[in-house]
Amino acid sequence: MALLSSGMKVLTLDNMNPCIKTMEYAVRGPLVIRAVEIEKELQAGKEKPFKDVIRANIGDAHAMGQKPITFLRQVVSACVNPEILEDPKTPADVKDRVSRILKACKGGSAGSYSDSPGIEVIRRDVAEYIKNRDGGIESNWENVILCGGASDGIRGIMKLLNVVGADGKKPGIMIPIPQYPLYTASIAEFDMAPINYYMDESKNWGLDITELKRSVTEARATSNPRAIVIINPGNPTGQVLTRENIEGIIKFAHEEKLFVFADEVYQDNVYDKDSKFHSFKKVLMEMGEPYSSMEMASFMSTSKGFMGECGFRGGYAEVINLDPQVKAMFLKSISAKLCPTVLGQITMDVVVNPPKSGEPSYEKFIAEKTAVLDSLAKRAKMVADTFNSIPGIRCNPVQGAMYCFPQITIPAKAVDAAEKAGQKPDFFYCWNLLEKTGICIIPGSGFGQVPGTFHFRTTILPQPDLLASMLERLKAFHIEFTKEYS
Amino acid sequence: MALLSSGMKVLTLDNMNPCIKTMEYAVRGPLVIRAVEIEKELQAGKEKPFKDVIRANIGDAHAMGQKPITFLRQVVSACVNPEILEDPKTPADVKDRVSRILKACKGGSAGSYSDSPGIEVIRRDVAEYIKNRDGGIESNWENVILCGGASDGIRGIMKLLNVVGADGKKPGIMIPIPQYPLYTASIAEFDMAPINYYMDESKNWGLDITELKRSVTEARATSNPRAIVIINPGNPTGQVLTRENIEGIIKFAHEEKLFVFADEVYQDNVYDKDSKFHSFKKVLMEMGEPYSSMEMASFMSTSKGFMGECGFRGGYAEVINLDPQVKAMFLKSISAKLCPTVLGQITMDVVVNPPKSGEPSYEKFIAEKTAVLDSLAKRAKMVADTFNSIPGIRCNPVQGAMYCFPQITIPAKAVDAAEKAGQKPDFFYCWNLLEKTGICIIPGSGFGQVPGTFHFRTTILPQPDLLASMLERLKAFHIEFTKEYS
């Protein structure tokens, strides 16, 4: 085959979509690619100062050895293959669920397309779950849109806001810094404007309303702010917002006429005894008019919580107070994608409609759920305590979610060395950590941080023994790194 | 709650993304919404001249009673719940597949994220399948990108081409008319320019190269043509392109410097004895340089073929000859969506790597696959023959895919009546058909047609008895409709 110069290609870096070029997604970026290479090197027998790579870069519980919830897997597998139900050991509540769900599938098969917003029975179950979660505040099932993981829903709704104003200004989306990089990646892809607001690390990553105002006011010079994203419990920061803080944010969003994106995928992951999850919808409804008429979307996922079924791609968006014409357009826009995975929808159903007290699978389900959440709570504490015991690392308590985002002191000489290597200092730190210990974590620059500060994000997901060993390795590395560059 | 005027909303029809507003997706449009309403009316006991709605609007085999392939469901269900493997009745080849796939999943669980382009083992199986399909022409597994149904892959690659030129012209995508509305919907959403080329109904929906040239030449005045989409076997038109025709299209695409989108999701659905599926990649490779260096993407899905697993959302794109830098950008862009559903990926694996001769599940698998494809072939003939027996309807043979796109004569008085009702004449025809018979099919205007001609698309998917009854009802309706408006 003749060698082709890039110039002969129809599609080149010079004539491709520039928005795709500017996208960044640190959680799956160069460090993760290097981690995969190192794994292959280890498999090929290459000598390293460690035996395995520890992937603490992504919130993927099963990849780190978390066991699935038995009831969930029983229901999903029997929806795939109803012959399983003939096994006399199958619990009656599994049979009931499967028969109820398959009856709601076209042709009685999970292999048929569902309606684009999802299967009605499951949307109704989600609405019921939301109502119970929110102390009886009504949820209309027609406002529940099932999607292939929360990301899919977030992107679908964000798109609606994408219009350049008559003044030529791009639509702006307020995002927390640090943030989950789905937001910056999607905003870049859609050619919208990110509007950064800093969370206050000194106040346990709370949202300071003055900072929100500064951020939106400055942004108005160059963009047209249309929405605010709040991640609660926080990713990568692990905080759980107080009700008072949420009220302040809602008032702010109302004043500034912003659409509210409440990324609440960690709503089941609250570990701190003094913290409680308050849904944005509940707070907004309880605040009454004019707030209870505000437009908002809340997102949930099957990938997090106690189930951790990332690969099944289940999720939902609850959209409230949408202009009916806008909602019709939203529904039309998702119809071109046909439907979210039916098996992901079924997974979502089990999450919102778990075994009830008295049903045969109840005891086992509760035991499994509690074991996962208790263990995560212990690991949350272990991680924060260990980091706070290391000179040059300090972090806020991990109140919820699955991450810790400690601040690290990087010596000036290391900053110089990073510069020489053409790397950001925190990237340089994480790169060295990976090469020397096999631990894969993500530098704070992938999430955003106050200029001049350095952080990293680690998950709390390695199983307890591995986590303890990882924290040991990390501690030793940090001490050595600090010494080397002092 | 106070009534809200639209003007109080943050997001209204006036300030939302205009591209979303212009999207159309006929296959799930107003007729389908009305069909759902009618079903509910029937359930509520309302008197109608028919007892059930027949959904011939969408290529959803399971919804129309097609049975799933046993082996496929066994493998997917046991990947969800490996405890099933303990059942002594589980065939050994099912066990082998499940253990091989789960070993390739992180943490041994289908509930973990996969790499964004999919699980390596499955990408390798797909590459092997393509190689065998194409008579030994190599396929590099790293060019195989798994996706959540073909639509997802098509949209992901189409996005790459989306850049407005220095001359202000939008990028243009050549699409067949009639076309599958995913294309017009996605092109509208991305604010690109559709470039219509008409297929030749008089030549069995072949592609006339003169027409391709006319189309691209006219389009250059207002857009920047970047790619051509070919759907083979055809949707909605059911033709299978000859090798000679494919060669002509490839030469044309080369001359005009177009990226080739080969939508080949119906590659297993060829019924006509004199027709054969030729993949674009095989033809292009066999043509040698310069054609064998052309950039192309071919798409496949688990939703069609003999398996019809629409709800599982499996698919792949094979991208060849991409500029390596562009490919890196593509891989980066899909990473923000995390990964396609792992269960969809596993479904794809079974499709490309079915039981082999000598394995315990082989006989049953072949029997089931043959039964489905033979029955579809019979139904393809039944549909075309019946339509051609009705005065005022005629159609080309259904050589492949799952659809028939007959031309219908609509009397002038009916055209007038449609105009009065504010409807397109073919929409008026289909609307009346739905109201009077319960048959839901899609008017040709949803796919595009030569101005002044009228068509509809029906699937061939209702099971034989239902299909026979549907064709009877449709025939009676057509005769009565023609009489009424003559």
Side-chain angles (χ1 to χ4, degrees), chain B residues 377-393:
Chain B
K378 279 188 197 128
R379 283 179 268 166
K381 194 171 176 322
M382 189 205 299
V383 169
D385 287 353
T386 308
F387 286 147
N388 284 322
S389 79
I390 306 174
I393 304 190

Side-chain angles (χ1 to χ4, degrees), chain A residues 13 28 55 82 115 125 128 159-160 181 196-197 212 250 273 289 299-300 319 343 364 377 391 398 418 429 445 449 480:
Chain A
L13 213 51
R28 294 193 161 215
R55 291 181 184 236
D115 293 340
D125 286 346
E128 191 65 23
K159 264 180 212 167
L160 299 177
N196 299 341
Y197 65 85
L212 294 180
I250 290 172
K273 273 172 200 139
E289 291 294 346
F299 304 94
M300 177 56 171
V319 290
L343 302 178
K364 187 171 192 177
V398 180
Y429 178 95
S445 46
Q449 53 199 348
E480 200 187 292

